[in-house]
Amino acid sequence: MAEQPLTIDFPAPTSEDLSSLEEAHFKAAESKAYQESTYWAYSEVLDILGLYQERYQIYTRSRELRVGKRAVNIINRIAPERSLRKRILDYSLRKMVAANRRKIQLRDETTNLPSFPAFDHPRVSIVIPVFNKWHITAQCLRSLHEHMPSMPFEIVVVDDASTDRTREYLPQIEGVRVVRNDRNQGYLLSVNAGLKAIKDSTYVLLLNNDTILSPGWCDTLVRTADSDPAIGIVGSKLLSEDGILQEAGGALWSDGTGFSYGRCDDPKNRMYNFLRDAHYCSAACLLVRKSIFDTLGGFDTQYVPAYYEDSDLAFAARKLGFRVLYQPDSVVTHIEGVSHGTDITKGIKKYQEINRHKFVKKWRTELESHHAPGSQSPRVASWPAPKGHILVADHCIPTPDQDSGSVRMTEILKLFVKQGFRVTFAPGIQYHDNEYEHALQQMGVHVLPASQDRERFLKELGEELVLAFLSRPNPAAGYIDFIRRHCPNAKILYDTVDLHHIRLKRQATVEEDEAVHREARHMFFVELACSNKTDATVVVSEEERTVLTSYGIDKPIFVIPNIHNVDHHSPGFADREGLLFVGNYNHPPNVDAALWLTNEIMPRVWKHNPKVTLTLVGSNCPSKVRQLADQYPQVNVLGWIQDLHELHSTHRFSVAPLRFGAGVKGKIGDSISRGLPAITTQYGAEGMKLIDGYDAVIVDSLSPDEFAARILGVYDDAKAWSELSANGIQKIQDEFSPEAVSSKFQTMFSELRLSHPWEPSI
């Protein structure tokens, strides 16, 4: 009996639907090939929706169709999200897109063949093994021509004794070196033949001919490998033709069976969009250091003709001391099944199971550390990290170009990743601008959605979680009980960032505000509760450790200060002028300091030296600070500046007249680390072990007269400036550099007796 077509009674479309219907499907498709065949695609959509009378209208307007924002509303009205209609419509659209893309890409297969430039010294050698299916190879080469690497490259295509038009047309493509096998040898030996033909490049990029590339696909892989000589292999995110995820790195269970992580899921899911180690990555698109292939002599020939050679390569590279990474920013569409089909009982595909047994025999010892099949979630099983998992929670995603707390948090995350832990960052709120989130993901940090069910996530981690680093009172309070319940191996650290109740108490005193005083008292009890409920507390200074000890906290208290990278090549005194103030104005102490500095201190300075300028920099600048530029001609209010390097290099002193606050001030350490001496108060210098007149200028009094006098006393003194600059840099190097702080983590991990010690040599 013939299969009956599926029909759905959709609501009658409005006139607005009809005028914008084409936008709806294009929004779902988002493919160039689909755009080139507007009539075919949209006429099919109209059939699905039952709008047969509109086919002719769409046909007559097909060359004028445009993408519009109303598309989403139309789709939602006709087929609401999560409804059966929406699922059926999405499925139909994906199938149409895939079929139509193939139709477009297979046309004109013998015309308009691309040509490629020739380089004598390529950095990347792209090796493409092919066998028949010329139309697929032509499609791949056109895509490669459209998205060529920005660095010198070469293309070597290995023709594995094709019998179709490949033999005729491939040699006609300028800039492609063809290696032809006398007889069909299969994928593995074809790749090895290609490796023998390449020039002396830095990287080999293995590329299947059934791939469609995207902008930056190659440059991203090379940039990742260039970032660390220990990175030996980098693989791309692979999508299927319909746009769903095919592979976000490959994973292997302890019996050698593998799975493509994320298969058939949404490629935009955060689980698949951070740089991370992988057991292996598919050789459909794989960047490999040429030195690895030189050492190994190519793929291991015991896996002839194909399958498990990419897994074997990854394991061999790790044995040589290299890392294997999955890079989600390199996106490649892979038409899976074109090369060898999908039936594992027939043809070359049957070697998938045969070669698994060979692979297990060779790598039995390494596989013992892998999870047994199904014993762990795919998320955990696919992310190699022998040291275990670290959860870091804070109130928001770090914005290191806006506040010092974010700088410290970012550097701490870097240290955790560098030590080889899996690292998940859990923000209390999520920014709509994902620039900062993407920066964390490219560091190798998994960013948890703010809406994530915390308990469910922790239950999934279970015994894998070895450390929870909870910053600030509110994030800490939201996780402690869940971690105790589901993660028995985890040590919980409460990171104060600064003692909030002390900062609030000082603010209440300066502002004489009873409401702030009550808030300080409340925060006192919250912070004490966090310290008492966790295994240890982390503070930023010895002063704050002394304070907590005085409260009777009998659990370990560790000092992990701000972290700064030192600039040993900053300009000298003669190339600088003016004063610089930096601060995030969401922080009340900074607003108070900027106003007090400009209205009270600087007029006293200008009375003796009117040429001294003041630059105020910081994010979230309020109007009362911006207006200072109108009141004083020597004041320049810049607001937020992403990169402070130029300002640090051209100003003579940084000034931070803080009248209240707590913790270690990032603005002080940041300026001193750049060779820019600081003039500040006792609150600004707190916790940094600075010495007045040696590595900073510290004003004991909160008198504007005294602060102005100290500015005038050093502003034109080149000798004093040079000594302050040099001594300050040395202080940062000794106390606040990544190396110095790493040693503090080493001590902390040792005392907490974590299962994997901190490695100081990393």
Side-chain angles (χ1 to χ4, degrees):
M1 181 177 177
E3 182 179 354
Q4 297 297 315
L6 177 64
T7 60
I8 304 175
D9 295 327
F10 288 97
T14 66
S15 59
E16 182 180 359
D17 292 341
L18 296 179
S19 65
S20 303
L21 183 61
E22 64 276 9
E23 301 169 0
H25 191 191
F26 197 96
K27 183 69 177 177
E30 294 183 347
S31 93
K32 181 178 179 182
Y34 196 63
Q35 185 180 13
E36 293 174 349
S37 56
T38 309
Y39 166 65
W40 179 88
Y42 288 120
S43 64
E44 293 291 330
V45 179
L46 294 174
D47 282 350
I48 291 175
L49 299 180
L51 303 176
Y52 305 107
Q53 296 179 0
E54 305 306 320
R55 291 189 67 159
Y56 181 74
Q57 177 187 359
I58 297 299
Y59 172 74
T60 59
R61 298 176 55 219
S62 61
R63 292 182 179 275
E64 302 174 1
L65 299 181
R66 297 292 183 267
V67 181
K69 293 184 178 179
R70 288 176 294 175
V72 175
N73 292 332
I74 296 169
I75 285 290
N76 288 341
R77 184 163 57 250
I78 295 174
E81 192 68 31
R82 297 184 180 179
S83 67
L84 175 61
R85 292 177 179 177
K86 181 64 162 59
R87 292 198 295 271
I88 295 173
L89 182 59
D90 284 348
Y91 177 80
S92 301
L93 295 181
R94 286 198 300 268
K95 291 301 180 184
M96 281 192 298
V97 171
N100 187 47
R101 180 183 292 157
R102 182 74 59 82
K103 176 182 176 182
I104 295 298
Q105 290 163 344
L106 300 190
R107 72 186 181 190
D108 301 327
E109 62 188 38
T110 61
T111 61
N112 301 320
L113 294 177
S115 62
F116 297 91
F119 298 96
D120 293 331
H121 304 286
R123 287 204 72 213
V124 181
S125 297
I126 302 173
V127 177
I128 308 174
V130 305
F131 173 65
N132 288 334
K133 297 185 175 64
W134 162 248
H135 54 278
I136 295 294
T137 301
Q139 165 188 285
C140 175
L141 292 173
R142 288 194 186 96
S143 179
L144 178 52
H145 183 266
E146 184 178 357
H147 304 296
M148 286 191 288
S150 64
M151 72 286 296
F153 66 96
E154 66 172 338
I155 302 174
V156 175
V157 177
V158 183
D159 179 6
D160 195 18
S162 296
T163 58
D164 68 352
R165 287 167 291 182
T166 301
R167 299 180 60 178
E168 176 184 355
Y169 294 117
L170 194 56
Q172 298 179 25
I173 301 180
E174 184 180 348
V176 171
R177 188 138 39 93
V178 180
V179 175
R180 179 169 173 79
N181 295 336
D182 294 332
R183 58 182 178 80
N184 185 268
Q185 300 184 43
Y187 171 82
L188 189 152
L189 293 178
S190 292
V191 169
N192 284 356
L195 294 175
K196 294 177 182 178
I198 63 177
K199 297 180 180 179
D200 189 20
S201 55
T202 305
Y203 299 107
V204 176
L205 204 164
L206 303 181
L207 186 66
N208 276 18
N209 67 330
D210 55 350
T211 53
I212 302 170
L213 311 175
S214 64
W217 69 283
C218 178
D219 289 7
T220 301
L221 297 176
V222 173
R223 186 167 55 249
T224 303
D226 282 346
S227 68
D228 185 350
I231 297 173
I233 297 178
V234 190
S236 301
K237 177 197 288 184
L238 300 182
L239 305 183
S240 298
E241 278 188 288
D242 54 10
I244 64 174
L245 185 61
Q246 186 180 108
E247 179 186 294
L252 293 166
W253 300 109
S254 58
D255 66 350
T257 55
F259 63 93
S260 297
Y261 181 49
R263 189 177 184 85
C264 295
D265 207 343
D266 180 1
K268 296 180 181 179
N269 190 312
R270 287 181 174 87
M271 292 191 299
Y272 315 123
N273 283 290
F274 63 98
L275 183 71
R276 61 175 176 80
D277 289 271
H279 292 153
Y280 74 97
C281 291
S282 169
C285 182
L286 193 69
L287 186 80
V288 184
R289 286 191 185 273
K290 184 174 178 293
S291 61
I292 295 176
F293 273 131
D294 291 342
T295 301
L296 299 176
F299 281 136
D300 187 338
T301 55
Q302 73 166 313
Y303 300 105
V304 168
Y307 292 108
Y308 275 86
E309 71 283 339
D310 45 11
S311 300
D312 180 83
L313 174 66
F315 276 56
R318 269 191 293 271
K319 191 171 184 178
L320 292 173
F322 291 100
R323 295 174 65 193
V324 178
L325 297 186
Y326 158 71
Q327 173 53 275
D329 282 3
S330 173
V331 181
V332 172
T333 298
H334 180 217
I335 310 171
E336 190 178 41
V338 169
S339 301
H340 300 142
T342 57
D343 189 341
I344 63 172
T345 66
K346 299 178 181 179
I348 293 179
K349 194 75 174 178
K350 68 182 180 182
Y351 285 94
Q352 186 169 327
E353 181 63 16
I354 294 172
N355 285 348
R356 179 179 73 86
H357 294 285
K358 298 178 182 179
F359 177 80
V360 170
K361 182 178 180 181
K362 181 177 179 180
W363 299 106
R364 187 177 306 278
T365 300
E366 286 76 8
L367 287 170
E368 289 177 356
S369 63
H370 290 222
H371 295 280
S375 64
Q376 187 54 273
S377 70
R379 185 210 306 257
V380 174
S382 64
W383 189 359
K387 289 187 174 183
H389 206 113
I390 291 180
L391 172 69
V392 180
D394 203 348
H395 73 298
C396 67
I397 291 175
T399 53
D401 53 1
Q402 297 191 33
D403 66 277
S404 64
S406 291
V407 173
R408 175 177 177 268
M409 175 55 72
T410 300
E411 294 297 327
I412 288 173
L413 290 169
K414 286 181 182 178
L415 288 174
F416 286 155
V417 171
K418 195 173 182 180
Q419 284 287 318
F421 292 97
R422 295 192 208 99
V423 181
T424 292
F425 182 82
I429 59 175
Q430 207 91 34
Y431 281 102
H432 295 294
D433 182 357
N434 65 1
E435 173 188 352
Y436 299 105
E437 178 178 346
H438 183 255
L440 288 188
Q441 291 170 330
Q442 284 299 296
M443 280 169 44
V445 176
H446 167 224
V447 179
L448 204 64
S451 59
Q452 174 77 38
D453 184 328
R454 300 174 183 178
E455 185 167 18
R456 181 179 178 182
F457 173 73
L458 292 169
K459 188 175 182 180
E460 179 183 324
L461 284 182
E463 295 181 356
E464 294 285 330
L465 188 67
V466 297
L467 179 67
F469 193 88
L470 310 178
S471 288
R472 304 176 208 269
N474 290 338
Y479 275 96
I480 292 173
D481 291 340
F482 290 144
I483 294 170
R484 292 292 189 212
R485 188 177 306 155
H486 300 295
C487 307
N489 295 336
K491 297 287 187 179
I492 305 177
L493 302 184
Y494 166 49
D495 174 35
T496 66
V497 181
D498 66 19
L499 289 179
H500 293 40
H501 71 277
I502 290 181
R503 168 168 44 82
L504 291 169
K505 183 178 179 180
R506 291 170 177 173
Q507 179 181 347
T509 300
V510 170
E511 297 178 353
E512 298 180 350
D513 190 324
E514 183 59 32
V516 176
H517 181 77
R518 288 194 298 272
E519 184 181 357
R521 182 171 176 79
H522 168 74
M523 188 55 67
F524 167 77
F525 290 109
V526 172
E527 291 188 297
L528 249 61
C530 288
S531 290
N532 282 318
K533 293 180 69 175
T534 53
D535 297 302
T537 299
V538 173
V539 295
V540 293
S541 69
E542 290 291 345
E543 287 86 341
E544 294 196 344
R545 173 153 63 181
T546 300
V547 170
L548 283 182
T549 302
S550 71
Y551 295 157
I553 302 295
D554 58 357
K555 295 183 178 180
I557 303 172
F558 301 100
V559 177
I560 302 294
N562 289 346
I563 305 173
H564 300 283
N565 292 288
V566 171
D567 181 1
H568 292 283
H569 306 288
S570 61
F573 176 85
D575 299 319
R576 300 169 175 269
E577 62 180 13
L579 305 176
L580 176 67
F581 174 87
V582 178
N584 184 335
Y585 295 108
N586 272 343
H587 204 44
N590 291 328
V591 177
D592 176 80
L595 296 174
W596 189 55
L597 169 64
T598 309
N599 292 325
E600 300 294 334
I601 297 172
M602 292 310 297
R604 290 166 167 80
V605 172
W606 292 324
K607 182 177 180 180
H608 298 278
N609 189 345
K611 294 183 179 181
V612 178
T613 59
L614 173 63
T615 302
L616 302 176
V617 178
S619 57
N620 307 297
C621 186
S623 59
K624 56 186 175 182
V625 173
R626 290 197 301 269
Q627 292 168 1
L628 295 173
D630 299 326
Q631 300 174 33
Y632 303 99
Q634 300 98 325
V635 174
N636 185 18
V637 180
L638 298 182
W640 175 69
I641 300 294
Q642 184 173 25
D643 188 353
L644 295 174
H645 178 73
E646 182 177 352
L647 294 175
H648 282 142
S649 299
T650 55
H651 284 77
R652 192 168 292 178
F653 285 93
S654 69
V655 285
L658 297 167
R659 297 196 292 173
F660 57 91
V664 175
K665 314 306 180 297
K667 63 175 69 63
I668 304 296
D670 194 29
S671 66
I672 294 177
S673 71
R674 308 290 183 90
L676 178 62
I679 306 174
T680 187
T681 63
Q682 56 183 339
Y683 297 126
E686 188 174 37
M688 295 194 67
K689 303 179 182 179
L690 296 171
I691 301 172
D692 181 29
Y694 180 76
D695 43 28
V697 176
I698 304 172
V699 183
D700 288 336
S701 169
L702 294 182
S703 162
D705 288 317
E706 183 173 346
F707 204 105
R710 296 299 300 272
I711 292 175
L712 291 167
V714 295
Y715 186 79
D716 289 320
D717 191 334
K719 183 175 181 296
W721 184 94
S722 298
E723 291 176 354
L724 289 169
S725 176
N727 294 336
I729 286 177
Q730 190 60 51
K731 176 60 65 67
I732 297 298
Q733 183 66 48
D734 293 342
E735 300 289 341
F736 303 99
S737 65
E739 298 79 12
V741 177
S742 180
S743 68
K744 297 179 185 297
F745 269 107
Q746 180 185 4
T747 300
M748 182 173 73
F749 271 49
S750 176
E751 292 190 23
L752 290 174
R753 297 181 180 179
L754 292 181
S755 55
H756 293 278
W758 192 272
E759 299 179 33
S761 60
I762 293 181

